Amino acid sequence: MNGHPPANFSWGLLGIFLCAIIFRYVSRETLYFLEISIHELNHAIVAFFLGRKLRRLWISPFKSERGRVGEVTYRGGGSALITLAPYTLPLLTIPFFLSSKLIAPAV
């Protein structure tokens, strides 16, 4: 140890700081829309990589008459991987992980 906090600690503090700013200055509606967008994009990305032909990617800030705010439709049959994609594919984690490899010094 050289008297400095570990790099992971600094990144963690930065994450907490950014979250505090986002939750303070970005409206709940915008955050909800972004959450739904990421959720539906996860379905679409996995469906595409499994060879399904995407027919429709629909995201709305307002609920439809069926109570939905987003929907992905595709041809080629369903799959548990597509259904579970939003819960298993870390869509936002991947770019941050890759960028951290470019920013962080090699050990």
Side-chain angles (χ1 to χ4, degrees):
M1 298 283 300
N2 57 7
H4 297 288
N8 291 345
F9 181 76
S10 300
W11 284 107
L13 285 179
L14 178 63
I16 291 169
F17 177 72
L18 289 175
C19 282
I21 289 175
I22 288 169
F23 283 106
R24 172 69 176 101
Y25 295 105
V26 178
S27 71
R28 285 181 187 238
E29 293 82 14
T30 301
L31 289 174
Y32 183 66
F33 180 73
L34 290 173
E35 178 184 344
I36 296 300
S37 300
I38 292 165
H39 179 95
E40 298 302 333
L41 279 173
N42 274 316
H43 288 300
I45 289 168
V46 172
F48 174 78
F49 281 117
L50 290 178
R52 306 305 197 269
K53 181 164 175 66
L54 293 176
R55 296 179 66 195
R56 179 180 180 203
L57 172 60
W58 174 76
I59 303 166
S60 172
F62 309 106
K63 285 187 178 180
S64 70
E65 57 279 352
R66 296 188 328 198
R68 295 186 175 174
V69 291
E71 181 177 52
V72 175
T73 57
Y74 49 87
R75 290 187 191 142
S79 166
L81 292 174
I82 297 170
T83 302
L84 296 173
Y87 313 106
T88 58
L89 179 66
L91 189 61
L92 292 181
T93 305
I94 294 168
F96 285 115
F97 175 75
L98 294 175
S99 66
S100 73
K101 294 300 179 190
L102 297 173
I103 296 170
V107 178

